[in-house]
Amino acid sequence: MTPTDTPPAGDPTGPSAFASARARLFAEPGPGGAERRTALSALADDWLSGLYEASGAPAGTALVAVGGYGRGELSPRSDLDVLLLHHGTLDPALPERIWYPVWDGGAALDHSVRTLAEARRVAAEDLKAQLGLLDARHLAGDPELTAGLRSAVLADWRAAAPRRLPELHRLCLERAERHGELSFLLEPDLKEARGGLRDVTALGAIAASWLADAPRDGLDAAAARLADVRDALHLATGRATERLSLHDQDQVAERLGVLDADTLLRQVYEAARTIAYAGDVTWRAVERVIAARVGRVRRVGRLAFPFTGAGRGTGAVARGAVERRPLAEGVVEQDGEAVLAQGARPAQDPVLPLRAAAAAAQAGIPIGYATVRRLAAESRPLPVPWPDEAREQLVTLFGAGESCLPVWEALEAEGLVSRLLPDWERVRCRPQRNAVHRWTVDRHLVETAVRAAAMTRRVARPDLLLVAALLHDLGKGWPGDHSEAGEVIVRDAAARMGFDKADTETLALLARHHLTLIDTATRRDPDDPATIDLMTKVVGTLPHLELLHALTEADATATGPTAWSSWRASLVDRLVDRVAGRLAGGDPDPGSDPGAVPTVEQERLAVEAARTGEPALALLAQPQQAPFAAEPMGAELILAIPDRPALLSTAAGVLALHRLTVRSAALRLLDPIGAGQVLLIRWKVAAAYGELPEADRLRADLRRALDGSLDVARKLAERDAAAPRRRGISTPPPVVAVAPGGSSSATVLEVRAHDAPGLLHRIGRALDAAGVVVRTAHVSTLGAEAVDAFYLTGPDRRPLTSERAGEVAAQVREALGG
């Protein structure tokens, strides 16, 4: 039969045969999904096999299905990808006798004619061709020829995997850059976007390499769900489209028996997240295998491979023997991931999931897949209200900024987020049908927290800012005004988290009014006294205004590029300035603290220090929240020392040497027996690893530091030099500023910085070098952020001049590297 011959009516190999059979399959009631895709592939198999037999193909040839058709995954409008394989010379007319009836029948055909050697050569040069051949399936002709092709292609792929897989990953990254993330797009490309069907194919190719395999839980179901949606899309539109457009979503939802388009999108997003997360885990596993083989790697995107390529975060990384470096209590870094320490007991330590997540984010590394799985399976729910450490670790996690994203995704993939925050489930994967919004509701909340992390130097309570950012839109999971609903939900969530009444009300206020500032600034005259009165009544205090201002900007910039502009920013700034001016003045002097009365224990230690001239201290372990005894040990440390220069820096340095993390500190001077002033410092500390040091050991080291036999600065420098260098995260630079009008009797120096071992020691040394007197101090560590206030005077016990205060601030800033 020549290409121009017309097959007789009813001929099963005729041009209309496949089209008619396919139309009957789609019209018949019965199962859809994978069963229908398999049935459609079988119809195509029969038709093409018949065309091959009718063509008079000689021995030594074979017709082979490749790509998605090779996997038996034909969608209604999918191409038929076939290869005519042969030995030696082939009659040029033979392929046309097979292809023309396909074209005449209107089926989309992707075809090639090659020998085995040619197929292998093309695969070696063209990665996409090689991926298609990995799924080669015999249709007709010589089965040994097809078997030889499969064996050769798989052997070539496995031999070249250390070179080809990095190329495949780069293609995946480039594709994601072009098409975006399927989990967040209102009109997603089901095939090409990150988390789409192309990524499923890539995971299959990785498995075929034998270097790694994807986590299987939920992956097949997620891939099948996207394929079902694509089938319905093809049938609804009558086109071979992969983009789920807004105007097609209702029809697709109806075909699938889904409630509405929003429910459809949520199902698509959930499937895409499963696939994307499986991809992240699998590519990291591939990276580890390849890195172990080559020893030296280059970073691409989030992962590392042995080649130089473009991608976010590119930089050299050295790999050696596997090491386990401590990150936090129960958490270590191993091979570039945060994993559980050998002695970790998730069942006895409910804070461990948050601690591991915070440690990973702060170190700028992912959390291990097996670690998250174990935490999800073994860890117990947090008690209500949360212990203080849980709240601090949540703040530390989001204080890491962008590096918290993959960590949060891992927690969410294993169900840990909904366990921590039950209200999260109502906003998870919830689309926002507004052109201004770029993200789903849940991802918008996380993105807002990420942007708020860059603004922590602007507020005195960075912990409240980060938590408000994470929770402010939870009301979108409920009917009615989401700000009003959010106020109720956030108040309840904050109480569960263990915030006190005042902080809970602050968080509720921020949720209720997170849109008020920008709405007022853009719709009313910022200079109108009535406008200023309105906002003054809303915020009530300067700290509330400060928090609302930062939250407003973080919320808007996390919404999308059109939600924030220089014009809007200027209007908001102008209104904030006016309201701040109205609220300024009349604040009490926090440095004088006239109502503070030393406790009996503090008086006893102060008297002992004054009489002996030696440091006196009490180390009081804070009771554990039974039965969870595995949490890091915390303690209250009361220290009294006869006043002398450099006391604050020396004491802070000794604590740092003992790996005690300062959570808060309050410093003041007393004269308990009229024999000279005693510096009294009340610390709240936590052991970074293991148990608290003995009080006698602390006292002995303090004595040695004070008499000069222990060089604290040198010891800390030696320890820092010996510590392994980690990539870590980028943080906003420290802010050191003089608070105007902060105190009538002292100059208030505010320091806001990312917490680090020895931070208070460095600040104290800088103040010592500046020759100022620290009269009182209030030190707080909120998550991973230090917010400190130092009340300074000159040697004459008078406040510093403005010029001198500026010089001191500059010295402290320089000491912190700002």
Side-chain angles (χ1 to χ4, degrees):
M1 182 174 65
T2 66
T4 56
D5 291 336
T6 302
D11 185 347
T13 64
S16 62
F18 178 60
S20 300
R22 183 174 59 182
R24 287 195 299 272
L25 176 65
F26 296 149
E28 292 173 357
E35 291 187 37
R36 184 169 60 195
R37 288 188 290 276
T38 300
L40 182 57
S41 297
L43 287 177
D45 291 355
D46 291 343
W47 185 43
L48 290 171
S49 298
L51 291 174
Y52 172 86
E53 298 297 337
S55 70
T61 60
L63 193 63
V64 183
V66 298
Y69 179 31
R71 294 189 298 273
E73 298 175 353
L74 276 184
S75 285
R77 294 288 174 174
S78 291
D79 290 355
L80 299 176
D81 294 345
V82 292
L83 164 66
L84 183 58
L85 196 62
H86 66 96
H87 284 310
T89 306
L90 188 71
D91 178 5
L94 173 64
E96 294 181 346
R97 292 198 289 272
I98 302 173
W99 310 149
Y100 267 88
V102 178
W103 291 326
D104 290 345
L109 180 67
D110 189 349
H111 61 88
S112 58
V113 181
R114 295 188 179 106
T115 65
L116 177 58
E118 289 170 342
R120 293 179 69 183
R121 185 170 62 251
V122 169
E125 297 171 353
D126 186 341
L127 179 58
K128 293 181 180 179
Q130 189 170 37
L131 294 178
L133 290 173
L134 290 176
D135 295 309
R137 180 170 59 86
H138 183 70
L139 293 178
D142 185 351
E144 293 186 2
L145 192 57
T146 303
L149 172 69
R150 283 185 52 83
S151 297
V153 168
L154 284 170
D156 292 345
W157 175 245
R158 288 163 186 157
R163 177 176 55 85
R164 301 308 302 264
L165 283 178
E167 182 184 353
L168 175 58
H169 183 241
R170 185 168 57 225
L171 289 178
C172 291
L173 292 175
E174 292 171 354
R175 177 165 42 78
E177 188 69 24
R178 288 194 306 273
H179 297 280
E181 296 198 48
L182 178 52
S183 301
F184 310 117
L185 297 169
L186 276 177
E187 293 188 311
D189 189 307
L190 299 170
K191 190 173 185 179
E192 303 293 343
R194 179 175 180 262
L197 293 169
R198 285 276 192 213
D199 283 341
V200 178
T201 302
L203 292 174
I206 295 172
S209 75
W210 289 353
L211 290 188
D213 195 10
R216 308 310 305 181
D217 286 357
L219 181 59
D220 291 341
R225 189 56 182 167
L226 291 189
D228 291 348
V229 174
R230 181 174 66 168
D231 288 357
L233 179 63
H234 285 188
L235 293 172
T237 63
R239 295 180 287 110
T241 180
E242 311 295 340
R243 185 169 298 282
L244 186 59
S245 299
L246 289 172
H247 63 271
D248 296 324
Q249 289 172 9
D250 288 325
Q251 296 180 66
V252 172
E254 184 178 357
R255 280 188 172 273
L256 292 172
V258 173
L259 178 64
D260 55 27
D262 275 4
T263 304
L264 170 69
L265 277 184
R266 292 190 77 171
Q267 292 180 357
V268 168
Y269 293 162
E270 287 172 353
R273 290 192 189 183
T274 299
I275 294 167
Y277 176 61
D280 286 345
V281 171
T282 308
W283 283 118
R284 287 202 302 270
V286 170
E287 181 262 341
R288 287 194 297 272
V289 174
I290 295 178
R293 293 186 179 186
V294 302
R296 187 174 63 83
V297 294
R298 296 287 272 174
R299 290 236 155 230
V300 177
R302 295 179 180 172
L303 308 175
F305 286 113
F307 68 94
T308 301
R312 187 176 63 182
T314 301
V317 177
R319 296 276 179 167
V322 174
E323 298 181 50
R324 294 173 70 85
R325 302 168 181 168
L327 292 175
E329 180 67 18
V331 188
V332 298
E333 177 185 352
Q334 178 178 307
D335 203 14
E337 292 184 337
V339 302
L340 294 184
Q342 293 178 352
R345 298 292 181 267
Q348 301 173 22
D349 186 357
V351 184
L352 187 55
L354 279 173
R355 192 185 313 123
Q362 287 291 326
I365 58 177
I367 189 168
Y369 172 69
T371 293
V372 185
R373 297 276 292 174
R374 185 180 169 196
L375 289 171
E378 298 181 21
S379 63
R380 299 173 62 176
L382 283 166
V384 177
W386 290 8
D388 292 347
E389 193 211 350
R391 197 167 56 253
E392 291 164 1
Q393 295 295 352
L394 179 70
V395 172
T396 301
L397 168 61
F398 284 99
E402 190 175 352
S403 69
C404 79
L405 290 173
V407 177
W408 186 258
E409 289 171 356
L411 297 182
E412 189 177 58
E414 300 300 334
L416 284 165
V417 170
S418 295
R419 187 187 303 179
L420 289 168
L421 303 170
D423 295 300
W424 194 262
E425 197 59 33
R426 295 185 71 98
V427 297
R428 184 174 181 271
C429 294
R430 180 176 289 274
Q432 303 197 77
R433 293 186 176 276
N434 185 320
V436 173
H437 279 278
R438 179 182 178 186
W439 309 105
T440 54
V441 177
D442 59 334
R443 182 56 179 264
H444 168 71
L445 292 172
V446 176
E447 290 285 341
T448 303
V450 167
R451 283 155 177 77
M455 304 175 188
T456 51
R457 305 294 181 268
R458 291 168 42 177
V459 298
R461 290 295 303 273
D463 56 334
L464 296 183
L465 173 61
L466 292 170
V467 173
L470 181 65
L471 305 181
H472 74 278
D473 267 349
L474 283 182
K476 287 185 175 178
W478 297 83
D481 185 316
H482 79 276
S483 296
E484 294 179 0
E487 178 183 8
V488 177
I489 295 166
V490 169
R491 184 177 282 111
D492 178 64
R496 286 201 312 271
M497 290 180 178
F499 285 101
D500 63 25
K501 184 176 180 181
D503 288 349
T504 297
E505 291 305 315
T506 296
L507 290 169
L509 180 147
L510 293 172
R512 176 66 181 87
H513 292 289
H514 69 273
L515 297 176
T516 302
L517 184 58
I518 194 169
D519 285 349
T520 304
T522 54
R523 296 177 182 177
R524 299 183 62 167
D525 180 4
D527 296 319
D528 186 341
T531 303
I532 299 170
D533 286 343
L534 171 65
M535 284 308 307
T536 301
K537 291 177 182 177
V538 166
V539 296
T541 68
L542 275 171
H544 285 168
L545 177 64
E546 184 181 73
L547 286 166
L548 187 60
H549 186 194
L551 176 61
T552 298
E553 184 174 341
D555 183 24
T557 55
T559 297
T562 62
W564 190 249
S565 64
S566 57
W567 171 73
R568 290 191 172 199
S570 66
L571 290 178
V572 169
D573 290 347
R574 188 170 161 191
L575 178 57
V576 167
D577 287 344
R578 301 295 188 274
V579 176
R582 179 70 59 85
L583 292 170
D587 287 344
D589 177 1
S592 58
D593 199 13
V597 177
T599 66
V600 172
E601 180 67 3
Q602 291 170 358
E603 284 274 16
R604 183 187 69 79
L605 292 171
V607 169
E608 179 184 341
R611 284 178 176 171
T612 63
E614 297 286 342
L617 64 85
L619 185 63
L620 310 173
Q622 293 176 335
Q624 295 292 314
Q625 291 180 290
F628 309 124
E631 297 174 22
M633 291 292 293
E636 179 180 350
L637 173 62
I638 305 173
L639 176 63
I641 312 176
D643 191 24
R644 54 181 287 182
L647 279 181
L648 176 61
S649 61
T650 301
V654 171
L655 296 185
L657 279 178
H658 284 269
R659 298 189 184 278
L660 290 174
T661 301
V662 176
R663 306 308 304 172
S664 67
L667 175 154
R668 60 178 167 171
L669 291 168
L670 299 176
D671 188 356
I673 59 175
Q677 288 191 318
V678 171
L679 179 69
L680 182 71
I681 313 178
R682 180 175 177 266
W683 312 81
K684 285 188 178 179
V685 298
Y689 314 108
E691 298 181 354
L692 293 168
E694 295 179 358
D696 289 344
R697 178 77 179 275
L698 271 178
R699 187 181 295 109
D701 282 349
L702 275 169
R703 288 195 184 104
R704 293 171 57 214
L706 291 171
D707 67 24
S709 60
L710 175 61
D711 189 337
V712 174
R714 182 175 62 82
K715 286 287 187 183
L716 287 173
E718 289 175 353
R719 191 176 72 184
D720 290 344
R725 297 294 179 186
R726 290 196 182 93
R727 183 170 67 257
I729 59 171
S730 60
T731 59
V735 172
V736 182
V738 177
S743 171
S744 59
S745 57
T747 297
V748 181
L749 186 73
E750 293 185 344
V751 179
R752 299 176 183 178
H754 194 74
D755 192 32
L759 175 67
L760 186 55
H761 171 68
R762 295 200 302 276
I763 296 173
R765 289 191 71 194
L767 294 175
D768 295 338
V772 296
V773 176
V774 181
R775 199 189 78 191
T776 60
H778 300 276
V779 175
S780 299
T781 304
L782 304 168
E785 300 300 316
V787 181
D788 304 339
F790 301 90
Y791 292 77
L792 310 177
T793 67
D796 59 358
R797 303 293 177 175
R798 300 178 64 182
L800 308 179
T801 65
S802 58
E803 181 180 358
R804 179 70 179 124
E807 293 172 354
V808 173
Q811 286 181 257
V812 175
R813 193 178 302 114
E814 182 179 0
L816 298 182

